[in-house]
């Protein structure tokens, strides 16, 4: 009876260790696909979602903050990081549950909005409008704008490159959002 009980106890211990290790692996995978600063999905997760689009009706948005470098240079990286965190929260609030917004790096974000071109354009406008009021960073009230390139998933190649071109066009021409 004692060897049987010992075997059962050891089996439970081994099972609890295996479950803990599985949770740790899951947490590590999640961290590998999450931007550490903002908590948003990172570039890796975004590219995976983009490659899974296939023939789904969706709009790809690339967003680049206007004037961020100057803020980072004058107020410091800590202020810049805090600004990015606040912007990430604002952006995440505007995104529908079935869509994704990610920090791609620096002051660049990407979003995949599922639905029609009109719906994607409305979300792009809402993202831009979310920056209309200032962010309070320490004793500073900071206002930034965003340039957004939007491309409909039309089955054509190089969706990311086309969205990047639209975003740079929006930035150069101060249009806000370019489809």
């Amino acid at each position: 009876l004692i060897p049987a009980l010992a075997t059962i106890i050891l089996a439970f211990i081994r099972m609890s260790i295996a479950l803990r290790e599985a949770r740790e692996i899951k947490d590590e995978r999640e961290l590998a696909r999450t931007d550490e600063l903002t908590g948003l999905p990172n570039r890796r997760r975004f590219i995976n979602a983009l490659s899974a689009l296939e023939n789904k009706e969706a709009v790809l948005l690339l967003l680049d903050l206007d004037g961020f470098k100057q803020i980072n240079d004058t107020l410091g990286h800590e202020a810049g990081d805090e600004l990015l965190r606040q912007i990430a929260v604002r952006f995440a609030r505007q995104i529908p549950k079935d869509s994704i917004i990610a920090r791609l790096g620096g002051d660049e974000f990407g979003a995949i909005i599922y639905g029609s071109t009109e719906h994607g354009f409305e979300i792009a406008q809402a993202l831009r409008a979310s920056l209309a009021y200032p962010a309070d960073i320490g004793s500073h009230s900071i206002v930034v704008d965003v340039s957004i390139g939007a491309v409909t998933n039309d089955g054509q190649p190089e969706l990311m490159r086309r969205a990047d071109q639209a975003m740079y066009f929006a930035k150069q021409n101060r249009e806000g959002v370019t489809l």
Side-chain angles (χ1 to χ4, degrees), residues 108-178:
E108 188 173 306
F109 296 82
I112 299 171
I113 310 300
Y114 295 100
S116 68
T117 301
E118 294 80 19
H119 178 63
F121 187 73
E122 289 172 3
I123 298 299
Q125 293 293 350
L127 290 166
R128 188 159 184 247
S130 73
L131 299 181
Y133 59 94
D136 292 326
I137 311 291
S139 62
H140 302 281
S141 284
I142 300 170
V143 177
V144 292
D145 201 359
V146 64
S147 296
I148 304 173
V151 178
T152 301
N153 183 27
D154 55 6
Q156 297 299 313
E158 299 182 341
L159 199 61
M160 190 83 153
R161 182 188 59 77
R162 292 187 291 139
D164 196 49
Q165 287 175 335
M167 187 264 303
Y168 278 109
F169 183 84
K171 187 174 277 298
Q172 288 175 345
N173 295 304
R174 297 190 174 144
E175 287 192 4
V177 180
T178 298

Side-chain angles (χ1 to χ4, degrees), residues 15-84:
M15 187 184 320
S16 68
I17 290 171
L19 287 172
R20 184 171 13 116
E21 288 173 350
R23 268 185 254 125
E24 288 172 0
I25 289 171
K26 180 183 175 239
D27 291 345
E28 287 174 11
R29 282 187 182 147
E30 185 64 26
L31 286 173
R33 299 177 341 155
T34 303
D35 178 61
E36 189 176 313
L37 179 65
T38 63
L40 292 176
N42 65 10
R43 179 179 284 276
R44 175 180 288 154
R45 186 186 287 174
F46 184 78
I47 296 300
N48 285 343
L50 188 61
S51 66
L53 270 181
E54 296 176 2
N55 295 325
K56 295 177 184 169
E57 187 177 28
V59 176
L60 170 63
L61 305 175
L62 288 184
L63 303 89
D64 190 65
L65 299 178
D66 299 332
F68 180 78
K69 183 180 181 332
Q70 181 183 4
I71 291 162
N72 225 12
D73 290 347
T74 57
L75 299 179
H77 292 285
E78 287 181 22
D81 289 351
E82 178 58 27
L83 180 61
L84 288 172

